[in-house]
Amino acid sequence: MKPNLKIEIAGVKFKNPVMVASGTFGYGEEFENLIDLNALGGIVTKTITMEERQGHPPPRTCETAAGMLNAIGLANVGIERFIDEKIPFLKKLNTKIIVNVAGSSFDEYVEICRRLEKAGGFDMLEINLSCPNVDEGGMAFGVDPKATEKVIRDISKVSSRPIIAKLSPNVTSIADIARAAKGGGAAVVSLINTLVGMAIDIETGFPRLSYTTGGLSGPAIKPVGIAMVYKVSQAVDIPIIGIGGISSWEDAVEYHLAGATGIQIGTANFIEPDVTMKIIKGLSGYLKSKKINSLKEIIGKVRT
Ligand SMILES: Cc1cc2nc3c(=O)[nH]c(=O)nc-3n(C[C@H](O)[C@H](O)[C@H](O)COP(=O)(O)O)c2cc1C
């Protein structure tokens, strides 16, 4: 028996639930010689903004216990170069392509999505409402239900593809934000982005990141991600993509049981570039050992 790992999210058919998280896998081509990109369920690209961005000066990452802090500042090639230089490579792959987008105003989010819609060559949009490491835009949209609803509604007017709203954990009630995203027309929610954190060098007294604070990711945030996926699954009836601290197939199973249909792997790609391949294999082995035919059977099946 070969268990079936196929899933469907908002009408898009994935060969397995394992995707790579935005900002941790470049534009895909960086990993071409390390893993079989076509074996992935999906690739989420680095956040694209209107203009090309250099990001913050170094140091912009640092290690912490059970995780890392980053304040990259959304360094990226900008929408025009993305369309000209990155989409041609991505669209040749036999995996689902999700383009992650951020703007510094409602109009900017819409304009980037309009240009992508015209260019084509991808399957879904992921709207980054949750980056804690920029002064403008990013998290400002994802901590306010009204702004979340408006930005998703505005984008849905120019997009024919399903919209994933990527939510921030840095909020009072993530369930309220998820409801607002659905209200605006999001077909899917993905969560979580990083938690705001800070580390200080005790020899010099300076913060360890040039931006002072950064986003915490990695194994340290897994229990937060699981709890938030579970809470959101109780609040909205749209598919959830679970993110946060997944570095093994066991972690992936936990997210599926909590209610995630798909999962994204972030920080673990830096430590073990082929971790996604191991997770795909491990998920299959788990289902086989439990005599479960299809991954779909375990989604949301936590016993509470
Ligand atoms: C170095 C780094 C860069 C990131 N850049 C982005 C980004 O550009 N856009 C985005 O939506 N999330 C970004 N993230 C957040 C991840 O996509 C993910 O939501 C988060 O790291 C939690 O997952 P993890 O614990 O598996 O890393 C970044 C994370 C890291 C570590």
Side-chain angles (χ1 to χ4, degrees), residues 21-24 46-47 61 68 70 72 74 100 126 128 130 166 192-194 217-219 221 243-246 264-268 270:
S22 179
T24 65
K46 173 77 193 158
T47 291
T61 59
M68 69 181 272
N70 92 82
I72 306 288
L74 297 184
N100 182 301
E126 183 176 66
N128 182 358
S130 45
K166 183 166 179 182
I192 56 177
N193 206 316
T194 54
S217 63
I221 71 167
I243 322 168
I246 303 175
Q264 292 179 15
I265 320 297
T267 303
F270 296 125

Side-chain angles (χ1 to χ4, degrees), residues 262-274:
I263 48 161
Q264 292 179 15
I265 320 297
T267 303
N269 289 307
F270 296 125
I271 299 155
E272 217 181 344
D274 64 342

Side-chain angles (χ1 to χ4, degrees), residues 88-109:
F89 171 82
L90 290 166
K91 82 177 179 199
K92 281 190 289 193
L93 300 174
N94 179 21
T95 182
K96 298 301 169 194
I97 304 300
I98 299 164
V99 180
N100 182 301
V101 167
S104 53
S105 65
F106 291 104
D107 288 349
E108 210 173 282
Y109 271 101

